[in-house]
Amino acid sequence: MIRKVQQRFLYAVWVLTVFLTLSVMKETIYAAEGDYVDLQLFEKTQKMDMPKNTASYWFTLPEGTKVDENCYLMLNIKLSNTLIYERSSITLEVNETALETQWILDLQEDTVRSWKVEIPADVLKIGELNELKIITTQRSIEGDCADIDNPSNWVNLLNTSYLHIAIDQFAAPRLNHLYTFLYDGLGNKGTLENEYILPKTVTDDQIEGMFQISSAVGMYYPYNDRLIYRVSTGTPSSSEIKNKFFIGYDNSFSADQGVTLPSAPMSENMGYISVADKTTAAPYYKTLLIGKDAIGLQKAVRFFSVKDFMEEIAGTQITVVSDLATLQNKSTRQKAEKKESGYYKLDDFGYDSVNLAGAFHQSANFSFLQPDGIQSGDDSYILVRFRHSKALESDHSLMTVYFDEIAAGSVKLSASNADYGEIKVAIPEECLKKNTINVTIDCYNYLGKIDCSKDYYDTAWTVIDKATDIYFEPGDTGVIPTLINTPSFYSDGNQNNIVMGLSKQPSEQQLALACELATRAGQNNREAILWSLCRNCKKLTEEEKKQDMIFLQQNNEISLPEEVQTELGIVPLGEYKYSIAGDVPVTAEMLSGKIIVQVIRSPWDFGKRIYIITYDEGASETLDQVLSDKAIIEKLTGQIAFIDQTGKVTNYERIDTSQKEEKVPVTWERIKYLVEKRTGVSIWIVIGAIALIIIAVIVLFRVIGNRKRFKQAAKNMERANQKRDTTLDQNEDFPMDEEEIVYKFQEYGDHYPEDEE
């Protein structure tokens, strides 16, 4: 019984720590004017109800910031009256430096107890991530593990708590830390905000550059939930958004707009990037990306999209002349470049080795996207490679592998596999029917009877090695695309180029929605995507047909290729009319005012996806709320989803994957794989063997043909000799001499004419 209680306790502590860690990362500004910044720690009050609890809060002080000695934490708490005085304490750590510990009951007593802790300036890091950690130990009942699941043992950290940062000097933006400055600064956690300013006369390449910048921001900040985007032409329109991007040509903007222009005239095909600080006249940060022409603008945008390049530029402006044909700066991703062999490692999907430290239950979650949307074969498996602490008791320590939260295999953690162990588990067939394979590896690190209020991170641990194998047996059936992780696309190892299909004359609001989609695509694909704007979407070029696509259009101006409309479950026809496929159980009345999101496989390329988002003219604000809130997007599943004005999502599966099979097109690589799988030898050996067989057959036929020819020649010779003898007998008066006979034979050979006299 005690052992079960210990398990539940340690697992609960771990879950609570992770929950609080994720909660406090969503940093929001409490006040941000003057010579200080007050940062709200929690969006919601946090409940600490275990014998030991930890809440971590991260923040970044931008490079160039100077703080003084008046920084402090103001923590407001409420607590249970049943806490035992000498068993309940609270500790504050900043960057692993313990600053103060107090008995909880000694805190200032009131309806709300407050704890103010001074934070020395020298413990804060400038230009790096800072961690503030609040640790509580609290007991209401004496005895080992007696407070597990005890409702009277609680301490609440209130959302009125804040961190006071006293500023001597605010940082100024520089290109080498521009991403960090704009998106990791004080008050930026959880939110990405941009306003894009385009020239009054907008060109397609300027819009495409804006989309690429949006996807680059998403690539580097994949876990930011909230987006605040605006698009303006000519001048900024939002006073709330502090990050402004001016995108255009060298004559698109003027110095009185607060931007830093090139000091010298720009040459052909030249790009330029600059950043300017806030001013009284322009109280926002101004990033300028321009080109002398379309090629120059493309160079500037691509340079900005590679963070590693930007970090080498120490100043506030740079002229770009390099042509970056492809971008090599990709971060962690759940999908790997397709390998025809089907063999992958954990690090191919962006995962590093994972240390599951601590006593009792520890877990790690992984997600793997099946390559090219093809359902892998039944022989697919995961081979987990691991090692663990030799202090673990083998009779009770265990590793279990789960697929979609269902146990599929387990192995004891014993002395024999402490230095190296492995467990091979087949991927269930039901899981292979889905685009994403979700795997949980759970370890039970058992040390025996211990004090369950301690974590034992240094003693009890199991490491999942990044060399773990994932084998996706190449299959011949496609997985039907779904709206999970909208929008996401398969990768062939090259940079994605995606077609964005908008209205012929997109409004500023529609462009802002498209930028939000571009950021979500960057987050999901971990890539600074190249974009092609499509205005006349009914007629695509052959090059566009080879790409993934997103169509974002209003119901009254739908412009889609006929091949795409044929595959859709719902096609808006305007005037609140719809063409609805027979397998979609909805009516036109149900669709009124709804945002419709659909996904299909490209009719031109098996490995490409097409997303179609349609909405009524008055639903733009609702769509903005949907795309700017990752919590809503993550609710999308199936092939069709409807979203109403309240943000409620209704999902539909057009057809079950067991009822429809999409066969994979035959390619050379697939033929090569199938031959090698069935023969067990290289395809080149098979081709060589086939060639030898063909040659042998040809030689055999030639030999047989020659034998027949020789036999026929012998028969002809025999007939010729017989005729000669007969002729000699009949013409004794006119004998033919021997030389003439030889002459006749040499003249006719083995085809001696039968009628020759």
Side-chain angles (χ1 to χ4, degrees), residues 537-538 540 545 549 551 558-571 598-604 610-612 654:
C537 300
K538 282 188 176 295
L540 300 177
K545 291 178 180 179
M549 303 177 194
F551 293 102
I558 293 297
S559 176
L560 297 172
E562 183 177 348
E563 296 92 335
V564 172
Q565 293 192 42
T566 303
E567 296 294 324
L568 291 179
I570 300 173
V571 180
Q598 304 179 73
V599 63
I600 62 172
R601 191 185 300 281
S602 172
W604 302 286
I610 300 178
Y611 289 90
I612 304 92
R654 280 201 65 188

Side-chain angles (χ1 to χ4, degrees), residues 387-421:
R387 61 184 185 276
H388 61 82
S389 168
K390 295 181 180 180
L392 300 184
E393 289 195 8
S394 60
D395 288 342
H396 300 91
S397 298
L398 191 72
M399 173 184 289
T400 304
V401 179
Y402 298 82
F403 292 97
D404 289 339
E405 300 182 353
I406 298 177
S410 62
V411 62
K412 275 189 174 184
L413 302 178
S414 61
S416 62
N417 55 28
D419 295 323
Y420 174 81

Side-chain angles (χ1 to χ4, degrees), residues 536-593:
N536 184 11
C537 300
K538 282 188 176 295
K539 296 181 180 180
L540 300 177
T541 66
E542 291 303 314
E543 187 63 30
E544 288 173 333
K545 291 178 180 179
K546 299 176 183 178
Q547 311 300 336
D548 294 293
M549 303 177 194
I550 299 176
F551 293 102
L552 175 66
Q553 299 178 356
Q554 293 185 6
N555 290 337
N556 60 353
E557 51 183 20
I558 293 297
S559 176
L560 297 172
E562 183 177 348
E563 296 92 335
V564 172
Q565 293 192 42
T566 303
E567 296 294 324
L568 291 179
I570 300 173
V571 180
L573 304 175
E575 299 181 356
Y576 303 101
K577 297 179 181 179
Y578 302 88
S579 173
I580 303 174
D583 60 346
V584 182
V586 299
T587 65
E589 292 80 3
M590 298 169 60
L591 301 176
S592 178

